[in-house]
Amino acid sequence: MTRQTGRHRTASRLLALALCTVSAGAALAQERRLSPPLLQYPEERIPSYNLYGLPGLIEMPTAEMAPDATFSTTLGHAGNATRGTLSFQVLPRVIGSFRYSLLRDADLSGSRDGDYYDRSFDLRFQLLKEGTYLPALSVGLQDFVGTGIYGGEYVVATKEVAPGLRVTGGLGWGRFGSYQSFGTTGDRPGLVDGRPDSEAIGRGGTANFDRFFRGDVAAFGGISWDVTDHFRAKLEYSSDDYELERTVTSSFEKTSPWNFGIDYRFKNGNQLSLYHAYGTKIGAQLSILTNPRTAPVPGGNESYPYPVKPRNPARLADLGWTTDERRQAGIRRGLEEALDGIGISLQGMTLEGNRATVRIQNRRYQAVPQAVGRTARTMTRALPDSISQFVIVLTEGGLPTSAVALRRGDLEELEFDSAEAIYARAQIVDAVGRTPRPFPDTYPKVDWSFGPYLAYSSFDPDNPLRIDYGVRASASVMLTAGLELAGAVSQRLGGNIADGSDDVNTALPSVRTSAPLYADGSDTTLNRLTLAHFGRPAEDFYSRVTVGYLEAMYAGASAEVLWKPVDSRLGLGAEINYVRRREFDQGFGLQSNTTPSGEIPEVNGHISAYYDLGYGFHTQIDVGRYLAGDEGATLSVHREFDNGWRVGAFATKTNVSAEEFGEGSFDKGITVTIPLNWALGSQTRQASTTTIRPLTRDGGARLNVSDRLYGRVRDNHQPELAKTWGRFWR
């Protein structure tokens, strides 16, 4: 093997940082097959993004916000710093970001070969929206959870003073208060200039509350001018003295506080920026913008549904079919074939004189009400005219979840009215006691897939992005309703995840930091092989029992129960797991739970609460014991859109101290789910989900068991159905 020079090593890491940022920004799943395209934006002004990946000038912030729900990925370089940032417009007046930075030639604790990698989080809140006379006013926290090397706070105002000409001015602390400061706030005995020194370099992950808005204060400002619809020029006066860069590197030089820049905005909203910064350096940045509220194919490209077929009044009293078995078999056959043609499986049916109850599996439609509406339309064409009520039971993997009752006359009357009109007359109830038995020939049912996979490990200090690639075969057999045998086998063709270090200084048993050992164990792996039973023990209750090779690292058994009324925003659940470590080759063998750093407990589990907060926000709290035996809680909050997009964040704090946890201090991260129907325009329920963790450590680690109940059932419940009911007639 040839040895890389320092220059080549730095170049490869820069490339890896770029790939890591772009791939995360596109929400690459750990196993994905498709990259969704970029989007057109709503008719709202798109601000410039600065080198910290937030709306701003060159490095200074503005008071602007992006259009609501904007998801942005920026990759910028200036001086000796390269920064990749993911930002999300959480609310119209709140934006958050995660940043991964490379500081070259840095003599800092934790730097490798002269390169220092840093992870940080930002938040910005807009206090005032821009009006006729008043400017927009925002307050921001930069690098408030991290090492603090980019830490700073600011209050900033922005106002359009002429068409296309915007003026910004603000006050800053920390990084933003280090050049030409004119005062100090929060000074108290024992502190230098009122701001405590950061001791988080090399560890990070803690919020620096005692530093917020303390220390030297300085002013910054600038202007931006929309020269044309595509070009924007920017000028800023920076209040950052870059003391850290000048102290720890020999290659950084600043001769001026004035920075200049120009943006080129493409038609789809993406931006390419060029800068002259610090008086000495040329910089550039690419900003890729996506908005879940819009889609590449507005309205989708699925076929038009069947129209409602009105009944013949002369046949309303014809009940002859109720005693004719051949006719009933023909009714079933006709309805089954028609539904199958539109991506819906008929699993069971009960026919009475004036009511038909069908048991269906929605295979195609991301918006469940669309599947309900198409099923109801098809029933008007296939069922006898005497039937006046339809009951549609929704199932997931053979598990009945809810039942939607509709009057046939309402369908005929309201076909050309709004979806809200039919929703007002529909009944959505629990499926217990209302579910027909499955047809004898429904099971067993086999589903399989084969294709390439891509797995990645990000934010390794030695290499920001490690990738494995290969092919994977997956299969599931639904043996009976609710009883499923499933598994997946992979053949690795190449990659470098195994090159990651498993020698992590931690006081906990090695539950996740041993991942490189599993990646290096074998090229042919059994990813999982499980037998799972899903049940309905009582109304409002769901159950799951899963046994086998549960995930790449652990085998055992997992049991879960969920209480979730069909009309409630609240769900409560409990899960208990018995686990054994798998052999590193991920075959059929098991090994002891003893690791060099401690014993992994055989039993872990959680009590969970789920709540729909409204406005698309969902929250989940899990309290219990984690894989390494530590005990604590995980808080997850995500924003979900009607088209299936989800962007969220989570944080786990256990009884393990920050020192025992190691670098990162506690487990935290970001999750992004992109539904493929949003990208393709055609209907599919498949989605690509990725979890971005600044660091993977052993504290707060949870078993990766598939098909937990809440995610399986909630889309078929009333609160979720109401959100997308507008697609009932689509």
Side-chain angles (χ1 to χ4, degrees), residues 203-279:
R203 184 175 53 125
T206 56
N208 305 306
F209 296 110
D210 59 346
R211 295 166 60 86
F212 294 169
F213 300 98
R214 296 181 183 273
D216 292 343
V217 186
F220 62 86
I223 60 173
S224 69
W225 175 37
D226 295 340
V227 183
T228 70
D229 289 342
H230 294 285
F231 283 98
R232 179 176 295 155
K234 301 179 293 186
L235 166 67
E236 74 173 16
Y237 172 83
S238 172
S239 59
D240 190 341
D241 196 32
Y242 305 98
E243 179 182 358
L244 176 71
E245 287 82 354
R246 291 187 290 106
T247 301
V248 303
T249 69
S250 58
S251 58
F252 185 87
E253 182 181 4
K254 174 194 172 186
T255 62
S256 173
W258 295 98
N259 299 325
F260 307 87
I262 189 166
D263 298 333
Y264 178 80
R265 185 169 68 88
F266 299 92
K267 289 184 179 180
N268 60 5
N270 296 337
Q271 298 173 3
L272 179 63
S273 304
L274 296 176
Y275 305 119
H276 183 269
Y278 325 128

Side-chain angles (χ1 to χ4, degrees), residues 89-333:
Q89 192 69 43
V90 183
L91 291 167
R93 295 194 185 192
V94 180
I95 188 170
S97 67
F98 166 68
R99 182 181 309 103
Y100 193 51
S101 306
L102 166 61
L103 195 62
R104 291 188 295 112
D105 303 323
D107 183 16
L108 280 168
S109 170
S111 63
R112 291 166 172 83
D113 300 320
D115 293 338
Y116 180 77
Y117 293 93
D118 183 73
R119 295 156 294 272
S120 54
F121 292 86
D122 296 1
L123 276 176
R124 180 185 297 177
F125 306 89
Q126 190 176 69
L127 304 179
L128 292 176
K129 291 181 68 71
E130 184 177 352
T132 304
Y133 303 105
L134 293 177
L137 181 66
S138 294
V139 59
L141 305 173
Q142 181 169 288
D143 194 1
F144 76 101
V145 176
T147 61
I149 68 168
Y150 290 118
E153 305 80 49
Y154 56 87
V155 178
V156 60
T158 300
K159 183 75 175 73
E160 186 174 36
V161 297
L165 182 64
R166 307 179 74 81
V167 177
T168 293
L171 298 177
W173 292 257
R175 294 285 299 227
F176 301 109
S178 58
Y179 181 74
Q180 297 293 323
S181 60
F182 57 82
T184 301
T185 62
D187 199 5
R188 64 181 191 268
L191 300 183
V192 178
D193 296 330
R195 192 175 181 90
D197 290 334
S198 174
E199 298 178 354
I201 292 178
R203 184 175 53 125
T206 56
N208 305 306
F209 296 110
D210 59 346
R211 295 166 60 86
F212 294 169
F213 300 98
R214 296 181 183 273
D216 292 343
V217 186
F220 62 86
I223 60 173
S224 69
W225 175 37
D226 295 340
V227 183
T228 70
D229 289 342
H230 294 285
F231 283 98
R232 179 176 295 155
K234 301 179 293 186
L235 166 67
E236 74 173 16
Y237 172 83
S238 172
S239 59
D240 190 341
D241 196 32
Y242 305 98
E243 179 182 358
L244 176 71
E245 287 82 354
R246 291 187 290 106
T247 301
V248 303
T249 69
S250 58
S251 58
F252 185 87
E253 182 181 4
K254 174 194 172 186
T255 62
S256 173
W258 295 98
N259 299 325
F260 307 87
I262 189 166
D263 298 333
Y264 178 80
R265 185 169 68 88
F266 299 92
K267 289 184 179 180
N268 60 5
N270 296 337
Q271 298 173 3
L272 179 63
S273 304
L274 296 176
Y275 305 119
H276 183 269
Y278 325 128
T280 60
K281 302 294 183 180
I282 299 295
Q285 178 164 289
L286 176 64
S287 303
I288 299 175
L289 311 179
T290 305
N291 196 303
R293 293 183 304 165
T294 61
V297 185
N301 56 20
E302 69 266 24
S303 60
Y304 194 77
Y306 297 124
V308 172
K309 182 182 178 182
R311 289 170 290 177
N312 185 340
R315 297 179 181 174
L316 297 181
D318 181 9
L319 298 176
W321 60 270
T322 59
T323 57
D324 188 337
E325 293 185 2
R326 292 183 58 186
R327 191 172 173 187
Q328 290 182 28
I331 292 170
R332 173 202 160 175
R333 187 166 52 252

Side-chain angles (χ1 to χ4, degrees), residues 39 68-71 88 290-295 641 643 645 647 678:
L39 298 184
D68 185 33
T70 297
F71 188 84
F88 180 58
T290 305
N291 196 303
R293 293 183 304 165
T294 61
F641 299 88
N643 57 16
W645 260 83
V647 180
W678 165 88

